Structures are given as C-alpha cells and as structure tokens.
Amino acid sequence: KISDRRIQRLFMALLTFLNPRQVSIVLHMYKLAAEQENGPFVTFRSNDLLESLGYKRTKDGGFPAKLRSQLNQDLVALHRTELIFAQSLQKEDGVGAKVLIKSVIRIQGYEIDNVSRNFDLAKAADYTYELADVYHVSLEFFEGPGRTGDYVLFANSLDITQKLGSNAKNDYQTKLLVYLASRIKWDRPQDGQYLTISKRYLFKNLDLLGSNTSRNNQIFWRTVDQLKEQGYILSAQEVVEKKKMSKIQFTVNPEKLKGH
C-alpha cells in the first residue's frame, strides 16, 4: 500500500515503464510481504521466484543459466531504479526542501549456497556478478497493511507466469492491467460505471506505436479479450467523439481489481 498520492502516481508511472517481467517480480514481492507479515522486508529464494514466474526446472532441479542471468539483471535494475521526490519544508528561518530517494526494491543482503573451494569473496560482494540463492530485500514503497490511504487490491490469483516464447517487452496483458489499476485509483469509478480512457493514451502506454493501426488494433483487442477471459475486464467498447477522438469504455471486475 502506498498512501502518498504524489509518490503513488510516480510509482505507478514507473511500473508502466518497467518491462512486464520486472512488474511481475514487484507484484510478487508485495504478495510475499503480505504472506510473510514482516512489514516491508521480504526474503525469497531465487529458484522459487523463477518457478513462480512460470519457468521450468532442469533435471538437476535448477534453472538454465540464461534465466538466472535475466533474473539477476532484473533484480539489479529494480534495486538501482530510484525515484527522487522533493517537497517544500517549512523551517524557522524560511522555506527549505525535503528530498526523498526511494528505490523500487532495496537489496539488503543475499546468500550463496555451496560455495566452491576457489570461492572469490570479491565477486560474491558484487551483487551484479551473478544470481544469489537467497535474497533479503526491502520494499521501499511499502507502508503496511493499515490501508488508511489509496491503494489497489489485486486478486490473489493474479497470474505472473511468463508465457513461453514471449518477449518481456511485449507482455501487453501485464502492461494493460497495471495501467488500468493506476487509472482506477485516479478516476475512482463506482461499481457498474465505465472507466473511460483515451485510446491514444492506452496505445502509448502499451507501446503500440507506429502507423500500422490495423496491427495495433488487433493486438489491443486481443489483449482486452484475454483479460476478459481471466475475469479482470467485464466489458470494453470503443466510443468516437465529435472531434474523432476515440475513447475506450471499460467495466472492470471489482472482485478482481479494486481501487481505494
């Protein structure tokens, strides 16, 4: 839960620009935080996270080096991605400024199993070198389960598995779901009311750019249909206004996705 509306908007905008696999990792960590009940601090095994993302283990019970390398890069990127937020601060001798610096996640520490005889301590201390076995992280936007501000509830059944052969950059389902979640918080539609969004903004946030409108429309409506099948979207229709500005009217399932 993120209760500060300004930081909340920055964070949701950031989720729009992370690749969908990184978004899935962040959402999974917040789910773990709720399960582990240790505030913003989360501990997880990297192999368990890879399994939650839908990847298959090899015969020896591990995962291919390429997948481990990709996950390591994602965790490092989330650790290094910072939001800097400034606000005025009243002081006795005038007005100052207070600056907050928050990472998406903060890697507090990690553990490596079964080190070899030629264990290189310098390499182990470099968290960018390779994927560790256990991570201890802090969710720097976590403010506890008190729910005294604005927040979005995702269904516990949210599917974060990565589709076989898919490119993380082109996971349109996750991109659309996260964008709808952010708009629900801002627009606050009541049950049964439409969530109306400019089609141009939707395409921009889905990275459906370029002049091939036929392809872009096919991808968009296919993504909408997929989220309908999963129960997140109940209905969607296109409305063209007087100035030929197209908008999409969504009805979302409040049991699957709810903004407060």
Side-chain angles (χ1 to χ4, degrees):
K1 182 183 75 68
I2 306 167
S3 61
D4 188 301
R5 178 59 68 91
R6 289 166 295 182
I7 295 180
Q8 181 189 88
R9 289 188 176 186
L10 284 171
F11 188 59
M12 291 308 300
L14 179 63
L15 286 183
T16 303
F17 293 103
L18 295 176
N19 77 49
R21 186 175 57 238
Q22 292 168 352
V23 173
S24 295
I25 291 169
V26 172
L27 293 176
H28 184 66
M29 287 188 183
Y30 276 84
K31 180 181 178 182
L32 288 178
E35 293 172 353
Q36 295 179 11
E37 298 183 340
N38 191 28
F41 303 105
V42 175
T43 297
F44 63 91
R45 296 194 67 85
S46 53
N47 279 355
D48 291 342
L49 178 54
L50 284 167
E51 194 167 46
S52 296
L53 291 170
Y55 298 116
K56 302 299 182 184
R57 292 178 182 264
T58 56
K59 292 181 179 179
D60 63 359
F63 288 90
K66 182 179 179 180
L67 291 178
R68 292 180 60 82
S69 176
Q70 286 176 344
L71 180 57
N72 179 52
Q73 291 172 21
D74 286 333
L75 293 175
V76 170
L78 293 171
H79 173 80
R80 287 180 168 178
T81 302
E82 296 179 333
L83 289 177
I84 301 176
F85 174 71
Q87 61 185 24
S88 61
L89 185 65
Q90 196 68 39
K91 294 179 174 290
E92 293 182 0
D93 55 348
V95 178
K98 180 180 180 181
V99 178
L100 299 176
I101 302 175
K102 290 177 176 280
S103 297
V104 180
I105 67 169
R106 177 69 62 184
I107 298 175
Q108 303 281 0
Y110 52 90
E111 302 171 22
I112 303 170
D113 298 339
N114 303 320
V115 296
S116 59
R117 289 184 178 180
N118 59 347
F119 178 63
D120 190 327
L121 188 60
K123 288 182 179 178
D126 179 5
Y127 65 88
T128 68
Y129 178 67
E130 63 182 2
L131 187 69
D133 296 294
V134 178
Y135 282 88
H136 306 281
V137 304
S138 172
L139 307 176
E140 298 214 327
F141 289 88
F142 186 92
E143 294 184 3
R147 295 178 181 169
T148 56
D150 300 302
Y151 60 95
V152 165
L153 294 178
F154 286 96
N156 196 45
S157 58
L158 178 65
D159 183 10
I160 67 165
T161 57
Q162 306 300 294
K163 305 301 181 285
L164 184 63
S166 66
N167 185 328
K169 181 180 178 181
N170 298 327
D171 185 351
Y172 299 108
Q173 287 187 57
T174 303
K175 286 184 177 181
L176 181 56
L177 190 59
V178 169
Y179 185 64
L180 289 178
S182 68
R183 290 299 298 261
I184 285 172
K185 288 193 297 186
W186 302 340
D187 297 356
R188 295 183 179 277
Q190 301 300 311
D191 289 350
Q193 287 186 335
Y194 288 122
L195 178 65
T196 303
I197 306 174
S198 163
K199 189 176 181 180
R200 182 168 61 89
Y201 285 151
L202 284 166
F203 277 31
K204 180 180 178 182
N205 280 276
L206 292 175
D207 287 331
L208 292 175
L209 309 173
S211 59
N212 193 338
T213 55
S214 176
R215 169 189 172 275
N216 291 344
N217 275 302
Q218 285 181 356
I219 292 174
F220 173 73
W221 287 109
R222 182 173 66 235
T223 304
V224 169
D225 288 340
Q226 289 167 342
L227 291 180
K228 279 184 179 179
E229 291 174 1
Q230 296 174 33
Y232 288 101
I233 295 175
L234 298 178
S235 68
Q237 60 183 358
E238 184 170 350
V239 178
V240 181
E241 297 186 339
K242 292 181 180 179
K243 295 182 179 180
K244 296 184 179 180
M245 294 290 292
S246 293
K247 293 188 176 182
I248 307 297
Q249 292 181 332
F250 294 96
T251 306
V252 298
N253 185 348
E255 299 302 319
K256 284 275 193 175
L257 196 62
K258 186 180 293 185
H260 292 265

